[in-house]
Every structure is written in C-alpha cells, then in structure tokens.
C-alpha cells in the first residue's frame, strides 16, 4: 500500500476540522509522559500537538523536543551544502524561480564544472553534498547524474540528491553509483491546491510525486527526506500529512532514516506571494511537534532562514544545517549570473556557522557517513 | 581478589568502556574520557577520517592511552560491516572491532543473523571481535563458538537511558558465557552501571548518558564510581533477595 492509498481515507478538510476542534484537555493528554517516552504512534495525538489548542503549550512542547533530540542525537549538528547542477525545468510551479515560464538564463553544469564547484565546497570543509536540479531530462539525465556522482565520490563521504522524481530502477542505479540520500518535497499535500500551483509539466501528477519517496525506499537509499513548502497552505494540516507520511515510510522502509525539511517560501523570480505565510512561532511549533512525534527523524534547516532563527533552533530539534549556500547554478565558483532558486537569508560562511554552533555548545559535524558503506 | 579483565590479549584495569558520539565538542569528549578512567574507547568509523591523524575525534582520543575500538555503526548487513572493519584495519585502526549491524535506523536494534555472519568472517580475518547484540543467550553462545572476544548485550535500546530492561536474559548470558560480557546500550545512570556490574557483567559501555549530561566530565566520574562499586559488590558476594525469610543460623542446622 502506498501513501497515496493511505490518505485516500482522509480528506484535507476533515483533518483541518479535527485540528480546529482539539481541546486543551486533549493537548494535555497528548503531552502525557507515556506518549513522550517513545514518540507516538497515534496520529490523533499529533493532531492535538499541532492544534491551536496547543499554542499555549508551545514552551512545554519545545522543552520535550530539546530533551528528546539531545537523548537521541546528542549535541551535534551535521553540516551539508546544496549544489545546483541545472536550473533548466519543464515544469511550471508558480512559487519557483526555475518555472519554465520565467525568463531567466538557463544553465547546466558540465561534469568538469560540477567537479570544480564541488571542490570549492570540499575546500570549505564539507563532506556531505546535496545535488539539486530542475526537471529537464534533456539537461539532466540518468547518465549525466551517474557521471557527476562518480566524479564527486572521491571528494565527498555522502552525496544526496534533490532532483526530479525517477523510477525505482533509476534510483537503484544512482544508489549503486554512490548516492545515499534522496530529498523530495511534496510541496503541498492538498490535492486541489497542488493542481493549482503546478500548472504544467510532469510535476502536475500528484500521485507520481507522492509515491516518489517509496520508490527511493525500494531502491535502498539510506535517507529519505520529506517536506512541505511552508506558505502554500495551512501549516498545521500540512504537518499532519507530513507526520503520517514519515510514519508510513518508517514502517514500510524501516532500513532508511526519514529526514524532514522545513522550507519556508522565500522571495523568488515570478513574485509569487505565499497565501498562508508561516511565522517564526508557527515554524517552531511545527518543528518541535514533529520532533516529539518522530524522535528519530533527521531535521534539516536551510539557509532560507535567518542566522538568528537558525541559531535559536539548534537546541530545539535540528540535526542538520546547510551553510554558506548558493542557489545559483555555478554560483560557488562565481562563474554564473543565473537567477538563484530563491533568496537565502543566512549569509554566513560555513566556518562562521560552525563557529557559532560550537559557541552555543554543540559540535559541528562535517562527516557522518563513509563511502565504504557503498561499494 | 578480583581477576583482571582481559580482552584480545589486553589487560584492562577499568571496566568502563566509553563511546565518543553525541558530545558537544571534541574537547568535552576528551575531558570526559579522562575522568572516566576508561582504557577502551569506541569510535564510529562513519564519523572519523580514519586516514587523518589530525581528525578531531581521533586526535582527542589519544591512541597511546586508550585501546581504540572502531565500530561499524551504520552497517546494515554483514557485508557492509566486514568492509568497514577491513577499512579500519587498513587505515591503522588495529585489530579490535566493535561489530554493530543495525539495519533499522530508529531503534538501532542489532540484526542477529547478519551479526553472526560478519563475526565469523572477521574472526577468520584475525580481528578481535566485540559484537553488539540483543540480549539473546543462544546468540551469545553462537558468537562465542565462532570466536568473538566478548559479547555485548544491550541493557535496553541504545540511547534510551532506560537501564537494564533485559535483566533475565542478561543474567543467563552471564551465567553461560566463557568470554567477557559487556553490557552495552541503554545505561542512563551510574546506578544502572552498578546494577550491571552487581549482576556479574565483566564491563559496561556507556556513551549517551555521559555525552549529553549537563557536566559530562562529572558524569564520567560518577559512572566510573558506579562501575567500580558494582564490581566490588559482586566480588564481595551480594546477598540474594529471597521470597521467604531465612534464619542466618538455620534452626535445623544441628541435624547435619
């Protein structure tokens, strides 16, 4: 059974209503020690945790999140960097600079250029890299990706991808080439809204998208990353779907670690205005509630967020951060004038981020994987 | 008089083994290691740059002072664990290997079948193998038969701080073992370490409880004392709790 089958029994409006109807008593019950000791398997309790009725319990949820994170992960923060391979895209996503309808310069790195960009990141200390691209099979196909990955393997211990959805066999080939992590955002779990914001291209297929993490799990990726774009719809309902999705994957592909990202929409080419802006308080609520519900999930926070916010979030559940990011194709070596995917908000160098992590009593971890796991 | 703890030809005075994960910095880890009195330190291969002597973990562990116990954490099957162990040895990590095969990333429970397979291969390769296992007495015997240097049953799930939840099974393992039994995982308080040692375990391995304590160095000292106290009590001979009162001078003793 895929996650799309699982959510057939739930309607967006129904879950939104359940969230609204939660009472402070139900929140107190959800925060009872029995549930907190081992996370929670009951989605109804998670619904209580993210409900408006839980707003007053935010400090308590945050303290639980800190306790659980420290126990499960200790005082460490993994560091990674995204690297954009291509901004060519055949999709039209209203919120994204790479939207095929936007008049921007399109560029795809050659394998040599990719190695040169990657070397820059390697020299800054990174050993975990995230390869990002738009969806354009002419620009970025499987053979190209395999060649890039093989060329980067001597430089990096861990290589993840955040590209377009692929078939299981293709993922398997990438896994064998040395990719160990897959990130694929559903953008929004609301089917109606999904159809509205994805106007053209392969990405219009909701089911193809939502079943992608399962194809990744079947292909053997060690980490599978999920996320909703925050700002598209009500964050509380998105969080409930996200929690259900993560639980589903953890049970079905129990050998893979599930990670969750919290991409708040940022200004981008096209000038899309998010209809449901998510405040700092909302994001803290969502992230900490998910940590309490999913004690072992990796939680990623990108440079979309400001340095002040990121620093304050470290003790609340974050396990990995990007640093020194550039969302332009070829942007690290300064050879590109293309538009970035979105504006970043934390402009510190990786070294500065690492130093701050140390100053607040955590260890920045550059390497937490070894290529020897994969032949 | 206590017998020394001997593993892989090394004699250890301390019965507290320590892990190196989850510390807030290599310096905090180094201080905690010193205060613990430990002589054997496990490091995750996936965290260290094993070829680089300047690696922040390795350089703070002090190879001259501690027996380095590289572990295969992250390995999902025997094949991966064996590959990692060989890599560690090729890079100068020595012959000790803590065998961890944990295909599930959430509870990190060890896979008994793959652990046994890997142990057999690594022992033939000449490694001193210390396998991390569920508290399974039969598996412990099977591992001993293939030649592992210890068995390391978990007290409770790793990082859970729940203490010894597998007491009955660990007691059987201790009673049946011909190799040192190291209780590994789940020990959250010095009293848990003391409990394991009172039961007759040969050593304990602690990481999370020390690494995430408010003052890791002080917690390391506390675990050192807990481990020593438990061992001393075991050697001294603990009174066994009984359901019925038993007179210290049996009333029918004269009949013997």
């Amino acid at each position: 059974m895929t996650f799309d089958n699982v959510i057939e029994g739930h309607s967006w409006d129904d879950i939104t209503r359940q969230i609204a109807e939660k009472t402070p008593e139900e929140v107190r019950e959800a925060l009872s020690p029995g549930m907190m000791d081992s996370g929670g398997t009951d989605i109804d309790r998670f619904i209580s945790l993210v409900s408006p009725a839980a707003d007053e319990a935010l400090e308590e949820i945050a303290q639980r999140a800190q306790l659980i994170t420290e126990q499960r992960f200790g005082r460490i923060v993994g560091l990674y960097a995204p690297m954009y391979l291509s901004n060519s895209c055949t999709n039209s996503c209203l919120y994204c600079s790479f939207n095929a309808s936007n008049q921007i310069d399109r560029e795809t790195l050659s394998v040599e250029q990719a190695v040169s960009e990657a070397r820059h990141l390697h020299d800054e200390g990174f050993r975990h890299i995230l390869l990002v691209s738009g969806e354009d099979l002419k620009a970025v196909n499987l053979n190209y990706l395999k060649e890039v990955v093989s060329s980067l393997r001597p430089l990096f211990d861990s290589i993840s991808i955040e590209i377009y959805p692929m078939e299981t066999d293709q993922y398997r080939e990438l896994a064998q080439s040395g990719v160990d992590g897959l990130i694929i955002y559903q953008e929004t779990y609301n089917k109606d809204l999904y159809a509205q914001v994805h106007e053209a291209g392969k990405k219009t297929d909701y089911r193809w998208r939502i079943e992608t993490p399962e194809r990744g799990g079947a292909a053997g990726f060690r980490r599978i990353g999920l996320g909703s774009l925050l700002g598209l719809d009500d964050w509380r309902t998105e969080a409930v779907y996200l929690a259900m999705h993560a639980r589903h994957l953890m049970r079905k592909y129990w050998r893979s670690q599930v990670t969750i990202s919290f991409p708040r929409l940022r200004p981008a080419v096209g000038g899309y205005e998010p209809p449901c802006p998510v405040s700092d308080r909302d994001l803290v609520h969502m992230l900490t509630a998910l940590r309490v519900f999913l004690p072992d999930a990796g939680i990623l926070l990108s440079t979309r967020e400001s340095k002040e916010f990121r620093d304050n979030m470290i003790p609340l559940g974050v396990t990995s951060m990007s640093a020194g990011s550039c969302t332009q194709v070829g942007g690290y070596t300064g050879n590109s004038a293309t538009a970035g995917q979105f504006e970043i908000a934390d402009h510190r160098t990786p070294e500065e981020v690492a130093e701050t992590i140390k100053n607040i009593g955590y260890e920045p971890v550059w390497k937490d994987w070894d290529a020897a796991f994969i032949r | 008089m206590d017998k020394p703890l001997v593993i892989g030809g090394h004699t250890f005075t301390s019965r507290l083994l320590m892990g190196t994960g989850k510390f807030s910095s290599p310096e905090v880890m180094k201080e905690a290691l010193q205060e613990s009195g430990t002589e054997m330190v496990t490091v995750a291969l996936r965290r260290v740059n094993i070829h680089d002597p300047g690696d922040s973990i390795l350089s703070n562990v002090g190879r001259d002072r501690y027996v380095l116990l590289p572990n295969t954490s992250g390995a999902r099957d025997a094949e991966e664990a064996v590959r990692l162990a060989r890599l560690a040895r090729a890079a100068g990590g020595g012959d000790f290997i803590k065998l961890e095969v944990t295909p599930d990333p959430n509870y990190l429970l060890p896979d008994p079948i793959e652990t046994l397979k890997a142990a057999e291969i690594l022992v033939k390769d000449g490694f001193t193998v210390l396998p991390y296992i569920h508290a399974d007495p039969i598996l412990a015997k099977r591992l001993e038969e293939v030649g592992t240097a210890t068995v390391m049953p978990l007290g409770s799930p790793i990082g859970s701080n729940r203490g010894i939840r597998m007491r009955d099974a660990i007691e059987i393992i201790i009673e049946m073992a011909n190799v040192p039994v190291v209780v590994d995982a789940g020990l959250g308080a010095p009293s848990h370490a003391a409990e394991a040692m009172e039961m007759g375990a040969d050593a304990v391995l602690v990481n999370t409880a020390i690494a995430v304590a408010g003052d890791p160095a002080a917690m390391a000292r506390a675990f050192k004392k807990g481990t020593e106290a438990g061992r001393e009590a075991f050697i001294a001979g603990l009174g066994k709790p009984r359901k019925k009162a038993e007179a210290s001078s049996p009333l029918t003793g004269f009949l013997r």
Side-chain angles (χ1 to χ4, degrees):
Chain A
M1 185 184 267
T2 70
F3 186 60
D4 199 38
N5 303 130
V6 172
I7 57 174
E8 269 170 18
H10 302 268
S11 83
W12 183 269
D13 292 344
D14 214 31
I15 287 181
T16 306
R17 184 183 46 73
Q18 287 177 47
I19 294 169
E21 287 174 356
K22 286 292 175 190
T23 64
E25 289 69 37
E26 288 174 292
V27 175
R28 266 198 294 281
E29 195 187 326
L31 277 165
S32 64
M35 181 202 177
M36 294 308 143
D37 283 350
S38 56
T41 52
D42 183 353
I43 195 69
D44 188 55
R45 287 185 152 171
F46 181 71
I47 292 176
S48 297
L49 284 185
V50 289
S51 70
D55 281 348
E56 283 185 19
L58 180 57
E59 177 57 29
E60 192 179 344
I61 295 170
Q63 287 187 15
R64 298 284 184 124
Q66 180 183 43
L67 195 74
I68 290 168
T69 309
E70 209 167 279
Q71 191 176 328
R72 300 299 179 110
F73 294 90
R75 294 193 183 125
I76 59 164
V77 178
L79 290 170
Y80 70 96
M83 187 177 104
Y84 282 72
L85 293 174
S86 173
N87 61 0
S88 278
C89 197
T90 53
N91 293 318
S92 287
C93 311
L94 293 185
Y95 48 78
C96 181
S97 295
F98 298 171
N99 184 335
S101 313
N102 286 340
Q103 297 300 312
I104 58 169
D105 291 335
R106 305 285 172 172
E107 203 171 324
T108 301
L109 298 181
S110 65
V111 175
E112 293 70 33
Q113 286 171 321
V115 171
S116 152
E117 281 275 290
R119 200 173 294 284
H120 173 88
L121 292 170
H122 178 269
D123 292 346
E124 284 188 310
F126 289 106
R127 296 296 177 267
H128 179 184
I129 193 169
L130 172 66
L131 304 178
V132 188
S133 84
E135 178 160 10
D136 181 353
L137 296 181
K138 284 189 188 136
V140 174
N141 61 27
L142 181 63
N143 284 338
Y144 165 81
L145 284 167
K146 280 164 62 178
E147 211 179 319
V148 168
V149 170
S150 309
S151 307
L152 299 189
R153 277 196 70 178
L155 295 173
F156 295 92
D157 294 297
S158 175
I159 301 175
S160 300
I161 50 169
E162 185 184 336
I163 55 167
Y164 53 89
M166 298 175 109
E167 300 284 359
T168 306
D169 284 348
Q170 297 175 309
Y171 279 149
R172 207 169 274 134
E173 284 189 48
L174 284 175
Q176 280 161 3
S177 304
V179 175
D180 52 88
L182 166 72
I183 290 182
I184 188 88
Y185 300 148
Q186 184 56 30
E187 324 295 20
T188 175
Y189 285 91
N190 182 341
K191 276 187 188 178
D192 295 336
L193 179 68
Y194 187 92
Q196 288 166 30
V197 295
H198 300 108
E199 291 186 321
K202 176 81 172 159
K203 198 166 167 182
T204 53
D205 188 341
Y206 180 95
R207 190 183 178 105
W208 171 246
R209 184 87 184 175
I210 208 165
E211 290 179 353
T212 307
E214 285 166 83
R215 293 195 296 277
F221 287 125
R222 305 301 185 109
R223 286 184 311 281
I224 301 174
L226 307 176
S228 293
L229 279 182
L230 301 178
L232 288 183
D233 207 327
D234 179 56
W235 67 267
R236 298 179 201 268
T237 314
E238 294 285 5
V240 172
Y241 276 88
L242 197 53
M244 286 195 291
H245 200 178
R247 273 262 176 245
H248 171 79
L249 291 170
M250 283 174 171
R251 290 202 179 109
K252 191 168 175 184
Y253 297 102
W254 57 277
R255 289 181 176 84
S256 304
Q257 187 194 28
V258 172
T259 68
I260 297 179
S261 305
F262 296 82
R264 268 201 287 196
L265 279 173
R266 296 278 303 152
V269 177
Y272 180 77
E273 287 294 326
C276 301
V278 174
S279 70
D280 283 0
R281 186 182 170 90
D282 295 339
L283 183 47
V284 170
H285 194 156
M286 180 176 179
L287 188 150
T288 54
L290 277 163
R291 161 57 73 228
V292 168
F293 186 69
L294 304 166
D296 297 296
I299 288 188
L300 280 54
L301 204 59
S302 78
T303 53
R304 289 169 183 261
E305 303 301 333
S306 69
K307 62 179 180 166
E308 293 79 15
F309 186 77
R310 278 167 32 110
D311 294 350
N312 283 308
M313 291 308 288
I314 288 173
L316 295 187
V318 173
T319 55
S320 278
M321 281 181 152
S322 53
S325 305
C326 177
T327 67
Q328 290 170 294
V329 178
Y332 291 113
T333 46
N335 297 325
S336 170
T338 64
Q341 192 185 22
F342 53 84
E343 283 179 18
I344 65 166
D346 182 349
H347 296 276
R348 288 174 294 182
T349 63
E351 201 183 331
E352 286 167 342
V353 172
E355 202 49 44
T356 307
I357 291 170
K358 278 186 206 161
N359 290 340
I360 57 176
Y362 281 65
E363 187 190 1
V365 170
W366 301 89
K367 176 182 184 296
D368 193 18
W369 187 248
D370 201 288
F373 284 110
I374 303 170
R375 264 174 302 178
Chain B
M1 181 66 183
D2 199 358
K3 287 185 302 186
L5 171 64
V6 181
I7 301 173
H10 284 253
T11 302
F12 297 90
T13 314
S14 166
R15 292 175 181 271
L16 173 59
L17 281 56
M18 263 192 65
T20 51
K22 301 188 179 182
F23 283 94
S24 58
S25 73
E27 296 74 32
V28 171
M29 174 194 82
K30 185 179 180 181
E31 199 190 345
L33 290 180
Q34 280 168 0
E35 293 299 318
S36 73
T38 189
E39 292 157 334
M40 180 153 30
V41 174
T42 182
V43 291
L45 279 164
R46 66 188 165 85
R47 278 287 299 280
V48 302
N49 293 303
I50 196 98
H51 298 284
D52 175 12
D55 174 85
S56 63
I57 297 177
L58 286 184
S59 61
N60 281 288
V61 164
R63 299 283 294 275
D64 48 337
R65 186 163 176 180
Y66 306 106
V67 170
L68 189 66
L69 180 61
N71 70 53
T72 62
S73 102
R76 289 198 304 203
D77 56 29
E79 199 184 343
E80 287 178 358
V82 167
R83 207 155 56 230
L84 278 173
R86 287 173 179 164
L87 178 81
R89 180 155 72 181
D95 287 335
F96 275 72
I97 193 81
K98 184 182 176 207
L99 176 59
E100 296 185 23
V101 186
T102 54
D104 116 74
N106 297 321
Y107 291 96
L108 298 173
L109 293 172
D111 183 328
I113 298 161
E114 296 296 313
T115 302
L116 183 60
K117 267 195 230 167
E120 203 162 4
I121 297 167
L122 291 173
V123 168
K124 281 184 188 149
D125 265 11
F127 281 95
T128 300
V129 181
L130 290 77
Y132 166 59
I133 58 170
H134 208 285
D136 178 342
I138 302 303
L139 176 65
K141 292 309 288 179
R142 293 285 301 266
L143 285 162
E144 190 184 306
E145 281 169 5
V146 302
T148 62
T150 63
V151 287
M152 304 181 79
L154 54 83
S156 52
I158 198 162
S160 70
N161 289 345
R162 285 167 175 247
I164 301 192
R165 296 292 176 107
M166 312 292 170
R167 187 177 176 106
D168 292 358
I170 293 174
E171 279 178 345
I172 297 172
I173 292 174
I174 291 170
E175 190 186 325
M176 292 169 64
N178 294 309
V179 292
V181 177
V182 183
V183 175
D184 180 5
L187 304 182
S191 57
H192 298 154
E195 183 185 353
M197 299 309 293
E198 285 170 5
M199 286 163 62
D202 296 277
V204 290
L205 193 151
V206 182
N207 186 176
T208 302
I210 294 174
V212 308
D215 182 344
M219 188 58 82
R221 274 198 304 278
F223 264 96
K224 175 177 191 273
K225 291 175 189 166
T227 308
E228 288 170 355
R231 182 66 185 179
E232 277 185 34
F234 174 75
I235 296 298
L238 280 165
K240 296 270 189 296
R242 296 185 195 283
K243 286 190 178 143
K244 272 172 39 179
E246 198 172 275
S248 51
S249 306
L251 299 174
T252 53
F254 70 95
L255 295 175
R256 269 188 283 141

